[in-house]
Amino acid sequence: TYRQAVDFCDDRAPDTAHRGRFSLQHCFAVTMLHGAPGFEQFEARSLADQKTSSLRDRIAVREAADLSTRFPDAYGARIMLTDFAGQRRHIDVATAKGDPENPLTMAELRDKAARLIGRANPGLVTEVLNAEMSVSALLALFRKLRGSHHDARS
């Protein structure tokens, strides 16, 4: 990944939810074990889980010079896996999911909103997600932000 991510997110032993959310090793480990992480993957029980900890210990975070060169215009990552048979595979992600260049779909946005709102106030999820005006206004704001994000780079 890029140098700043290595400096800020290389943490094999996160011991708080905050550190867990910023640990590349923890985020990758829980994704491999459970799929897309939810709030529970950053609670103390998950941080201390032996399977998760064991996998975190086998994950190395390193700088890729080409990704550092593109930062801050792109928050890229490269994943290289070696399976038990010794086969190597790699995945390149040019920009982070949710960034203007790699936006969330409407379904992903609704799911994320439901998870975040539900965590704070479960009773509001249906009301907010059924408020078409609010979703439209939010999308308009995202479009404006995307435009200003591109303008700021010029």
Side-chain angles (χ1 to χ4, degrees), residues 64-97:
D66 61 315
L67 297 177
S68 289
T69 301
R70 294 184 210 137
F71 179 84
D73 292 326
Y75 295 78
R78 179 172 298 120
I79 298 169
M80 300 180 79
L81 297 170
T82 304
D83 66 20
F84 292 112
Q87 294 269 348
R88 296 192 82 187
R89 303 168 198 270
H90 80 275
I91 301 167
D92 282 306
V93 179
T95 59
K97 186 67 173 173

Side-chain angles (χ1 to χ4, degrees), residues 47-152:
L47 294 170
D49 178 74
Q50 186 57 42
K51 275 186 181 178
T52 304
S53 177
S54 177
L55 185 52
R56 276 194 318 250
D57 287 343
R58 296 189 317 224
I59 298 170
V61 175
R62 295 203 171 73
E63 178 186 9
D66 61 315
L67 297 177
S68 289
T69 301
R70 294 184 210 137
F71 179 84
D73 292 326
Y75 295 78
R78 179 172 298 120
I79 298 169
M80 300 180 79
L81 297 170
T82 304
D83 66 20
F84 292 112
Q87 294 269 348
R88 296 192 82 187
R89 303 168 198 270
H90 80 275
I91 301 167
D92 282 306
V93 179
T95 59
K97 186 67 173 173
D99 277 359
E101 298 80 10
N102 190 9
L104 297 173
T105 65
M106 179 58 95
E108 291 167 330
L109 182 60
R110 291 177 69 84
D111 179 61
K112 184 173 184 174
R115 284 184 285 117
L116 293 172
I117 295 165
R119 179 79 171 189
N121 188 338
L124 285 179
V125 173
T126 303
E127 181 181 337
V128 171
L129 292 182
N130 288 335
E132 292 298 325
M133 184 76 145
S134 294
V135 172
S136 297
L138 183 59
L139 287 174
L141 176 60
F142 278 56
R143 285 187 195 104
K144 285 181 184 176
L145 289 171
R146 185 180 310 142
S148 66
H149 180 67
H150 286 290
D151 294 343

Side-chain angles (χ1 to χ4, degrees), residues 5-76:
V6 174
D7 293 343
F8 192 68
C9 301
D10 183 10
D11 186 353
R12 285 190 183 191
D15 57 0
T16 66
H18 180 75
R19 284 183 58 194
R21 284 190 297 273
F22 286 94
S23 165
L24 290 172
Q25 290 93 333
H26 186 73
C27 290
F28 187 75
V30 297
T31 298
M32 292 298 293
L33 293 169
H34 307 288
F39 290 105
E40 61 276 2
Q41 275 73 45
F42 300 101
E43 293 174 356
R45 184 181 46 187
S46 179
L47 294 170
D49 178 74
Q50 186 57 42
K51 275 186 181 178
T52 304
S53 177
S54 177
L55 185 52
R56 276 194 318 250
D57 287 343
R58 296 189 317 224
I59 298 170
V61 175
R62 295 203 171 73
E63 178 186 9
D66 61 315
L67 297 177
S68 289
T69 301
R70 294 184 210 137
F71 179 84
D73 292 326
Y75 295 78

